[in-house]
Coordinates of all heavy atoms in Angstrom, one line a residue:
M756 N -3.9 11.4 -6.0 CA -4.4 10.6 -4.9 C -3.5 9.4 -4.7 O -2.9 8.9 -5.7 CB -5.7 10.0 -5.4 CG -6.4 9.2 -4.3 SD -8.2 9.6 -4.0 CE -8.3 11.2 -3.7
K757 N -3.3 9.0 -3.4 CA -2.3 8.0 -3.2 C -2.9 7.0 -2.2 O -3.6 7.3 -1.3 CB -1.1 8.6 -2.4 CG 0.0 7.8 -2.3 CD 1.3 8.6 -1.8 CE 2.5 7.7 -1.6 NZ 3.6 8.4 -1.1
I758 N -2.7 5.7 -2.4 CA -3.2 4.6 -1.6 C -2.1 4.3 -0.5 O -1.0 4.2 -0.9 CB -3.4 3.3 -2.4 CG1 -4.4 3.7 -3.5 CG2 -4.0 2.2 -1.4 CD1 -4.7 2.3 -4.5
K759 N -2.6 4.3 0.7 CA -1.5 3.9 1.8 C -2.1 2.7 2.5 O -3.4 2.7 2.7 CB -1.3 5.1 2.6 CG -0.6 6.2 2.0 CD 0.0 7.2 3.1 CE 1.2 6.6 3.8 NZ 1.8 7.6 4.7
I760 N -1.3 1.9 3.0 CA -1.6 0.7 3.8 C -1.0 1.0 5.2 O 0.1 1.2 5.4 CB -0.9 -0.6 3.4 CG1 -1.3 -0.8 1.9 CG2 -1.4 -1.7 4.3 CD1 -2.8 -1.1 1.5
D761 N -1.9 1.0 6.3 CA -1.5 1.2 7.6 C -1.2 -0.3 8.1 O -2.1 -1.1 8.4 CB -2.7 1.8 8.4 CG -2.3 2.0 9.8 OD1 -1.4 1.4 10.3 OD2 -3.0 2.8 10.6
Q762 N 0.2 -0.5 8.2 CA 0.6 -1.9 8.6 C 0.3 -2.1 10.0 O 0.4 -3.3 10.5 CB 2.2 -2.0 8.3 CG 2.3 -2.0 6.7 CD 3.8 -2.4 6.5 OE1 4.6 -2.7 7.3 NE2 4.0 -2.7 5.1
D763 N 0.1 -1.1 10.9 CA -0.2 -1.4 12.2 C -1.7 -2.0 12.3 O -2.1 -2.5 13.4 CB -0.2 -0.1 13.0 CG 1.3 0.4 13.3 OD1 2.1 -0.5 13.2 OD2 1.4 1.6 13.4
R764 N -2.5 -1.6 11.3 CA -3.9 -2.2 11.4 C -4.1 -3.4 10.5 O -5.0 -4.3 10.9 CB -4.9 -1.2 10.9 CG -4.8 0.1 11.7 CD -5.8 1.1 11.1 NE -7.3 0.7 11.4 CZ -8.1 1.3 12.2 NH1 -7.7 2.4 12.9 NH2 -9.3 0.9 12.5
C765 N -3.3 -3.5 9.4 CA -3.5 -4.7 8.5 C -3.2 -5.8 9.1 O -2.1 -6.0 9.8 CB -2.6 -4.4 7.3 SG -2.5 -5.9 6.1
Y766 N -4.0 -7.0 9.0 CA -3.6 -8.2 9.5 C -3.6 -9.3 8.4 O -3.8 -10.5 8.5 CB -4.5 -8.6 10.7 CG -6.0 -8.8 10.4 CD1 -6.6 -9.7 9.7 CD2 -6.9 -7.6 10.8 CE1 -8.1 -9.8 9.5 CE2 -8.3 -7.8 10.4 CZ -8.8 -8.8 9.9 OH -10.1 -8.8 9.7
M767 N -3.3 -8.8 7.2 CA -3.0 -9.7 6.1 C -4.1 -10.6 5.7 O -3.8 -11.8 5.3 CB -1.6 -10.4 6.3 CG -0.4 -9.6 6.7 SD 1.0 -10.6 7.1 CE 1.9 -9.5 8.3
S768 N -5.3 -10.2 5.7 CA -6.4 -11.1 5.4 C -6.4 -11.3 3.8 O -6.9 -12.4 3.4 CB -7.7 -10.2 5.7 OG -7.9 -9.1 5.0
G769 N -5.8 -10.4 3.1 CA -5.6 -10.7 1.7 C -6.7 -10.2 0.7 O -6.6 -10.3 -0.5
E770 N -7.9 -9.7 1.2 CA -8.9 -9.3 0.4 C -8.4 -8.4 -0.7 O -8.9 -8.5 -1.8 CB -10.1 -8.8 1.1 CG -11.2 -9.6 1.7 CD -10.8 -9.8 3.1 OE1 -9.6 -9.9 3.7 OE2 -11.9 -10.1 3.9
C771 N -7.6 -7.4 -0.3 CA -7.3 -6.4 -1.3 C -6.6 -6.9 -2.4 O -6.8 -6.7 -3.6 CB -6.4 -5.3 -0.5 SG -5.0 -5.9 0.2
Y772 N -5.6 -7.7 -2.2 CA -4.9 -8.3 -3.4 C -5.5 -9.4 -4.2 O -5.3 -9.6 -5.4 CB -3.3 -8.6 -3.0 CG -3.0 -9.3 -1.9 CD1 -3.2 -10.7 -1.8 CD2 -2.5 -8.7 -0.7 CE1 -2.8 -11.4 -0.6 CE2 -2.1 -9.3 0.4 CZ -2.3 -10.6 0.4 OH -1.9 -11.3 1.5
Y773 N -6.5 -10.1 -3.5 CA -7.2 -11.1 -4.2 C -8.4 -10.5 -5.0 O -8.6 -10.8 -6.2 CB -7.8 -12.2 -3.2 CG -6.9 -13.1 -2.6 CD1 -6.9 -13.3 -1.2 CD2 -6.1 -13.9 -3.4 CE1 -5.9 -14.2 -0.7 CE2 -5.1 -14.7 -2.8 CZ -5.1 -14.8 -1.5 OH -4.2 -15.8 -0.8
N774 N -9.0 -9.5 -4.4 CA -10.0 -8.8 -5.2 C -9.5 -7.8 -6.3 O -10.2 -7.6 -7.3 CB -11.0 -8.2 -4.3 CG -11.7 -9.2 -3.4 OD1 -12.1 -10.3 -3.9 ND2 -12.0 -8.9 -2.2
H775 N -8.5 -7.2 -6.0 CA -8.0 -6.1 -6.8 C -6.4 -6.2 -7.1 O -5.6 -5.4 -6.6 CB -8.2 -4.8 -6.2 CG -9.7 -4.5 -6.0 ND1 -10.5 -4.3 -7.2 CD2 -10.6 -4.4 -5.0 CE1 -11.8 -4.2 -6.9 NE2 -11.8 -4.2 -5.6
P776 N -6.1 -7.4 -7.8 CA -4.7 -7.4 -8.1 C -4.1 -6.4 -9.1 O -2.9 -6.3 -9.2 CB -4.6 -8.8 -8.8 CG -6.1 -9.0 -9.3 CD -6.9 -8.3 -8.4
E777 N -5.0 -5.6 -9.7 CA -4.5 -4.5 -10.5 C -4.0 -3.3 -9.6 O -3.3 -2.6 -10.1 CB -5.7 -4.0 -11.4 CG -6.7 -3.2 -10.7 CD -7.8 -4.1 -9.9 OE1 -7.5 -5.2 -9.7 OE2 -8.8 -3.5 -9.6
L778 N -4.4 -3.4 -8.3 CA -4.0 -2.3 -7.5 C -2.9 -2.8 -6.3 O -2.2 -1.9 -5.8 CB -5.1 -1.7 -6.6 CG -6.1 -0.9 -7.5 CD1 -7.3 -0.4 -6.7 CD2 -5.4 0.4 -8.1
F779 N -3.1 -4.0 -6.0 CA -2.3 -4.5 -4.8 C -1.6 -5.9 -5.2 O -2.1 -6.7 -5.9 CB -3.2 -4.8 -3.5 CG -4.0 -3.6 -3.3 CD1 -5.2 -3.4 -3.6 CD2 -3.4 -2.6 -2.3 CE1 -6.0 -2.4 -3.3 CE2 -4.1 -1.5 -2.0 CZ -5.5 -1.3 -2.5
Q780 N -0.5 -6.2 -4.6 CA 0.1 -7.5 -4.6 C 0.6 -7.9 -3.3 O 0.8 -6.9 -2.4 CB 1.1 -7.6 -5.6 CG 2.4 -6.7 -5.4 CD 3.4 -6.7 -6.5 OE1 3.0 -6.8 -7.7 NE2 4.7 -6.9 -6.2
R781 N 0.7 -9.1 -3.1 CA 1.2 -9.5 -1.7 C 2.7 -9.4 -1.6 O 3.5 -9.9 -2.6 CB 0.9 -11.1 -1.4 CG 1.2 -11.5 -0.1 CD 0.9 -13.0 0.0 NE 1.1 -13.5 1.3 CZ 2.2 -13.9 1.7 NH1 3.3 -13.8 1.1 NH2 2.4 -14.4 3.1
G782 N 3.2 -8.6 -0.7 CA 4.7 -8.5 -0.6 C 5.3 -9.7 0.2 O 4.5 -10.6 0.7
E783 N 6.7 -9.7 0.0 CA 7.3 -10.9 0.7 C 7.0 -11.0 2.1 O 7.1 -12.1 2.6 CB 8.8 -10.7 0.4 CG 9.2 -11.0 -1.0 CD 10.7 -10.9 -1.2 OE1 11.5 -10.8 -0.3 OE2 11.1 -11.0 -2.4
D784 N 6.8 -9.9 2.8 CA 6.4 -10.0 4.2 C 5.1 -10.2 4.7 O 4.6 -10.2 5.7 CB 7.0 -8.6 4.9 CG 6.3 -7.4 4.4 OD1 5.4 -7.6 3.4 OD2 6.6 -6.3 4.8
G785 N 4.3 -10.4 3.5 CA 2.8 -10.7 3.7 C 1.9 -9.5 3.6 O 0.7 -9.6 3.4
F786 N 2.4 -8.4 3.8 CA 1.7 -7.1 3.7 C 1.4 -6.7 2.2 O 2.2 -7.0 1.3 CB 2.3 -5.8 4.4 CG 2.4 -6.0 5.8 CD1 3.5 -6.3 6.6 CD2 1.1 -5.8 6.6 CE1 3.6 -6.4 7.9 CE2 1.2 -5.7 8.0 CZ 2.4 -6.1 8.6
P787 N 0.4 -6.1 2.0 CA 0.0 -5.8 0.5 C 1.0 -4.6 0.1 O 1.3 -3.8 0.9 CB -1.3 -5.3 0.6 CG -1.7 -5.1 1.9 CD -0.8 -5.8 2.9
V788 N 1.3 -4.6 -1.0 CA 2.1 -3.6 -1.7 C 1.2 -3.0 -2.8 O 0.6 -3.6 -3.6 CB 3.3 -4.2 -2.4 CG1 4.2 -3.3 -3.2 CG2 4.2 -4.9 -1.3
V789 N 1.3 -1.7 -2.7 CA 0.5 -0.8 -3.7 C 1.1 -0.8 -5.1 O 2.4 -0.5 -5.1 CB 0.2 0.6 -3.3 CG1 -0.5 1.4 -4.3 CG2 -0.6 0.6 -1.9
R790 N 0.5 -1.2 -6.1 CA 1.1 -1.4 -7.5 C 1.1 -0.1 -8.2 O 1.9 0.1 -9.1 CB 0.4 -2.5 -8.2 CG 0.5 -3.9 -7.6 CD 0.0 -5.0 -8.4 NE 0.7 -5.1 -9.6 CZ 0.4 -5.7 -10.7 NH1 -0.7 -6.3 -10.8 NH2 1.2 -5.8 -11.8
T791 N 0.0 0.7 -8.1 CA 0.0 1.9 -8.8 C -0.9 2.9 -8.0 O -1.7 2.6 -7.2 CB -0.7 1.8 -10.2 OG1 -0.7 3.0 -10.7 CG2 -2.2 1.2 -10.0
N792 N -0.5 4.2 -8.2 CA -1.3 5.2 -7.5 C -1.7 6.1 -8.7 O -2.3 7.3 -8.4 CB -0.4 6.1 -6.6 CG -0.3 5.5 -5.3 OD1 -1.3 5.2 -4.6 ND2 0.9 5.2 -4.8
D793 N -1.7 5.6 -9.9 CA -2.3 6.2 -11.1 C -3.8 5.9 -11.2 O -4.1 5.0 -11.9 CB -1.6 5.9 -12.3 CG -2.0 6.7 -13.5 OD1 -2.7 7.7 -13.4 OD2 -1.7 6.2 -14.6
L794 N -4.7 6.5 -10.3 CA -6.1 6.2 -10.1 C -7.0 6.8 -11.1 O -7.8 7.5 -10.7 CB -6.5 6.3 -8.7 CG -5.6 5.6 -7.7 CD1 -6.1 5.9 -6.2 CD2 -5.5 4.2 -7.9
E795 N -6.8 6.5 -12.5 CA -7.6 7.0 -13.4 C -8.9 6.2 -13.6 O -8.7 4.9 -13.4 CB -6.9 7.2 -14.7 CG -5.7 8.2 -14.7 CD -6.2 9.6 -14.5 OE1 -7.2 9.9 -15.0 OE2 -5.4 10.4 -13.6
G796 N -10.1 6.7 -13.9 CA -11.2 5.9 -14.4 C -11.6 4.9 -13.2 O -11.7 5.1 -12.0
D797 N -11.7 3.6 -13.7 CA -12.2 2.6 -12.9 C -11.2 2.2 -11.6 O -11.7 1.7 -10.6 CB -12.4 1.2 -13.6 CG -13.6 1.3 -14.5 OD1 -14.5 2.2 -14.3 OD2 -13.8 0.4 -15.3
L798 N -10.0 2.6 -11.8 CA -9.1 2.2 -10.7 C -9.4 3.0 -9.5 O -9.2 2.5 -8.4 CB -7.7 2.5 -11.1 CG -7.1 1.5 -12.1 CD1 -5.5 1.9 -12.4 CD2 -7.1 0.1 -11.7
K799 N -9.9 4.2 -9.6 CA -10.3 5.0 -8.4 C -11.5 4.3 -7.7 O -11.6 4.1 -6.5 CB -10.7 6.4 -8.8 CG -11.3 7.3 -7.7 CD -10.5 7.4 -6.5 CE -11.0 8.5 -5.5 NZ -12.2 8.2 -4.8
K800 N -12.5 3.8 -8.6 CA -13.6 3.0 -8.0 C -13.2 1.8 -7.3 O -13.6 1.5 -6.2 CB -14.6 2.7 -9.2 CG -15.9 2.3 -8.7 CD -17.0 2.2 -9.9 CE -16.6 1.0 -10.8 NZ -17.6 1.1 -11.9
H801 N -12.1 1.1 -7.9 CA -11.7 -0.2 -7.4 C -10.9 0.2 -6.0 O -11.0 -0.6 -5.0 CB -10.7 -0.8 -8.3 CG -11.4 -1.4 -9.5 ND1 -10.7 -2.0 -10.5 CD2 -12.7 -1.2 -9.9 CE1 -11.5 -2.3 -11.5 NE2 -12.7 -1.9 -11.2
A802 N -10.2 1.3 -5.9 CA -9.6 1.6 -4.7 C -10.5 1.9 -3.6 O -10.4 1.6 -2.5 CB -8.6 2.9 -5.0
D803 N -11.6 2.6 -4.0 CA -12.7 2.9 -3.0 C -13.3 1.6 -2.5 O -13.6 1.4 -1.3 CB -13.7 3.8 -3.7 CG -13.3 5.3 -3.9 OD1 -12.5 5.7 -3.1 OD2 -14.0 5.9 -4.8
E804 N -13.5 0.7 -3.4 CA -14.1 -0.6 -3.0 C -13.2 -1.3 -2.0 O -13.6 -2.0 -1.1 CB -14.4 -1.6 -4.2 CG -15.6 -1.0 -5.1 CD -15.6 -1.7 -6.4 OE1 -14.8 -2.8 -6.6 OE2 -16.6 -1.4 -7.2
A805 N -11.9 -1.4 -2.5 CA -10.9 -2.1 -1.5 C -10.9 -1.4 -0.1 O -10.9 -2.2 0.9 CB -9.5 -2.1 -2.2
M806 N -11.0 -0.2 -0.2 CA -11.0 0.5 1.1 C -12.3 0.2 2.0 O -12.1 0.0 3.3 CB -10.9 2.1 1.0 CG -10.8 2.9 2.2 SD -10.6 4.7 1.8 CE -12.2 5.1 1.1
E807 N -13.4 0.0 1.3 CA -14.7 -0.1 2.0 C -14.7 -1.6 2.6 O -15.2 -1.9 3.6 CB -15.7 0.0 1.1 CG -16.0 1.6 0.8 CD -17.1 1.7 -0.3 OE1 -17.7 0.8 -0.7 OE2 -17.1 2.9 -0.8
V808 N -14.2 -2.6 1.9 CA -14.1 -4.0 2.3 C -13.0 -4.4 3.1 O -13.1 -5.5 3.7 CB -14.4 -4.9 1.1 CG1 -15.5 -4.6 0.2 CG2 -13.1 -5.0 0.2
C809 N -12.0 -3.6 3.3 CA -10.9 -4.0 4.1 C -11.3 -4.3 5.5 O -11.9 -3.4 6.2 CB -9.8 -3.0 4.2 SG -8.5 -3.4 5.3
P810 N -11.3 -5.5 6.1 CA -11.8 -5.7 7.5 C -11.2 -5.0 8.6 O -11.6 -4.9 9.7 CB -11.7 -7.2 7.6 CG -10.6 -7.6 6.7 CD -10.7 -6.7 5.5
A811 N -10.0 -4.5 8.2 CA -9.2 -3.8 9.3 C -9.1 -2.2 9.1 O -8.4 -1.6 9.9 CB -7.7 -4.3 9.3
A812 N -9.8 -1.8 8.1 CA -9.8 -0.4 7.8 C -8.4 0.2 7.8 O -8.0 1.3 8.2 CB -10.6 0.5 8.9
A813 N -7.5 -0.7 7.0 CA -6.2 -0.3 6.9 C -5.8 0.3 5.6 O -4.7 0.6 5.4 CB -5.3 -1.6 7.1
I814 N -6.7 0.5 4.7 CA -6.5 1.1 3.4 C -6.9 2.6 3.5 O -8.1 2.8 3.8 CB -7.1 0.4 2.3 CG1 -6.6 -1.1 2.2 CG2 -6.9 1.1 0.9 CD1 -7.3 -2.0 1.1
L815 N -5.9 3.5 3.2 CA -6.3 4.9 3.2 C -6.1 5.4 1.8 O -5.1 5.2 1.1 CB -5.4 5.4 4.2 CG -5.3 4.9 5.6 CD1 -4.2 5.5 6.4 CD2 -6.6 5.0 6.3
L816 N -6.9 6.4 1.5 CA -6.7 7.2 0.3 C -6.4 8.6 0.6 O -7.2 9.3 1.4 CB -8.0 7.3 -0.7 CG -8.3 5.9 -1.3 CD1 -9.6 6.0 -2.1 CD2 -7.2 5.3 -2.1
E817 N -5.2 9.1 0.1 CA -4.9 10.4 0.6 C -4.6 11.3 -0.7 O -4.1 10.9 -1.8 CB -3.5 10.4 1.4 CG -3.6 9.7 2.6 CD -2.3 9.7 3.3 OE1 -1.2 9.9 2.8 OE2 -2.3 9.3 4.5
D818 N -4.9 12.6 -0.5 CA -4.7 13.5 -1.7 C -3.2 13.8 -1.9 O -2.5 13.7 -0.9 CB -5.5 14.7 -1.5 CG -6.9 14.6 -1.8 OD1 -7.2 13.7 -2.6 OD2 -7.8 15.3 -1.1
Ligands
LIG1665 S1 -7.8 -6.2 3.0 FE1 -6.9 -4.9 4.6 S2 -6.4 -6.2 6.3 FE2 -6.5 -7.4 4.4 S3 -4.5 -7.5 3.5 FE3 -5.5 -5.8 2.5 S4 -4.9 -4.1 3.9 FE4 -4.6 -5.8 5.0

């Protein structure tokens, strides 16, 4: 499973990296950068949460 950020949709609100710094960090350009795609255990749940709360629906989970 892989986390992708749709930069055309993301407007850099920051919820993902503030709420889930274990998965995302703020990149130099302001867009979130995915820190890991090793979504074992709670990290998969956290990725699902991040996807659900993203106000721009810019976080995608792909197989
Ligand atoms: S929560 Fe969504 S809109 Fe906000 S920075 Fe993260 S990906 Fe972008």
Side-chain angles (χ1 to χ4, degrees):
M756 183 138 309
K757 191 171 181 184
I758 304 173
K759 291 196 73 174
I760 306 293
D761 183 343
Q762 292 194 353
D763 291 336
R764 299 181 72 111
C765 173
Y766 57 84
M767 305 180 210
S768 64
E770 274 100 328
C771 56
Y772 44 78
Y773 286 128
N774 292 326
H775 293 292
E777 72 282 16
L778 290 175
F779 306 94
Q780 64 186 43
R781 185 183 186 280
E783 287 184 8
D784 58 4
F786 286 107
V788 174
V789 177
R790 299 187 63 194
T791 180
N792 279 303
D793 187 16
L794 303 180
E795 297 294 321
D797 281 352
L798 287 184
K799 171 63 170 65
K800 193 168 74 180
H801 295 181
D803 287 338
E804 288 171 3
M806 185 175 66
E807 286 169 15
V808 302
C809 172
I814 299 174
L815 311 169
L816 293 181
E817 297 182 345
D818 286 329

